[in-house]
Amino acid sequence: MHSKDEKLSLLSEMIQFAKADKNFKEQEYNFIVAVASQLGIEKEEVDFLMKGEVEKKSLQPESQRILQFHRLVLLMNIDQEASPLEIQAIKDMGLKMGLRLEAVDTVLEKMHEYPNKVIPPKELIAIFTTFYN
């Protein structure tokens, strides 16, 4: 499991991403609070993170980076709108995580084939496996 610092870093990254289009929505906030709850982080700590960033922690192993990327895709699609700013931000974040651009682009393309743009975890893993073999 992640350390508390890693969890706060993950949540901070999600908050930054949700603010990328300058339109932070209640649905996005609620999603982040739900993820925080799953990680054992209180809502008050999420509210504190809304005011500023925490030190960025690099996720290891790669499976954790893919999981975080998947969370970001879910967050992006929570309102069924993906602005060009969000698309560029998620690509940039994927690259900063060390994910292959081809895999990121494929995920962003294939998400439109699924209800609510939610790629099933097995399909997500298959996409990344294809580009890492």
Side-chain angles (χ1 to χ4, degrees), residues 7-17 49 52-54:
K7 292 174 186 179
L8 293 174
S9 177
L10 292 173
L11 295 168
S12 178
E13 181 175 60
M14 292 177 75
I15 291 166
Q16 289 173 354
F17 177 68
L49 291 174
E53 299 176 29
V54 298

Side-chain angles (χ1 to χ4, degrees), residues 46-105:
V46 172
D47 292 340
F48 178 78
L49 291 174
M50 298 287 290
K51 298 173 186 164
E53 299 176 29
V54 298
E55 182 183 340
K56 176 84 172 97
K57 301 286 183 186
S58 230
L59 290 174
Q60 298 296 333
E62 183 177 51
S63 61
Q64 292 300 314
R65 295 191 306 270
I66 293 170
L67 175 60
Q68 178 65 358
F69 181 74
H70 191 232
R71 287 182 188 119
L72 293 172
V73 170
L74 294 173
L75 177 61
M76 178 177 69
N77 290 314
I78 199 98
D79 60 1
Q80 296 299 308
E81 298 174 20
S83 73
L85 284 172
E86 287 176 312
I87 297 292
Q88 188 57 53
I90 203 167
K91 284 183 178 186
D92 292 345
M93 292 175 102
L95 291 174
K96 287 178 185 172
M97 288 181 201
L99 303 176
R100 294 208 33 188
L101 180 59
E102 298 90 343
V104 168
D105 285 340

Side-chain angles (χ1 to χ4, degrees), residues 11-53:
L11 295 168
S12 178
E13 181 175 60
M14 292 177 75
I15 291 166
Q16 289 173 354
F17 177 68
K19 291 179 176 181
D21 65 354
K22 309 289 187 237
N23 189 14
F24 190 72
K25 297 179 179 137
E26 185 177 351
Q27 299 153 301
E28 294 168 326
Y29 172 77
N30 291 338
F31 180 78
I32 292 167
V33 168
V35 170
S37 177
Q38 290 176 342
L39 295 173
I41 302 295
E42 299 292 326
K43 180 183 176 292
E44 293 75 23
E45 291 179 278
V46 172
D47 292 340
F48 178 78
L49 291 174
M50 298 287 290
K51 298 173 186 164
E53 299 176 29

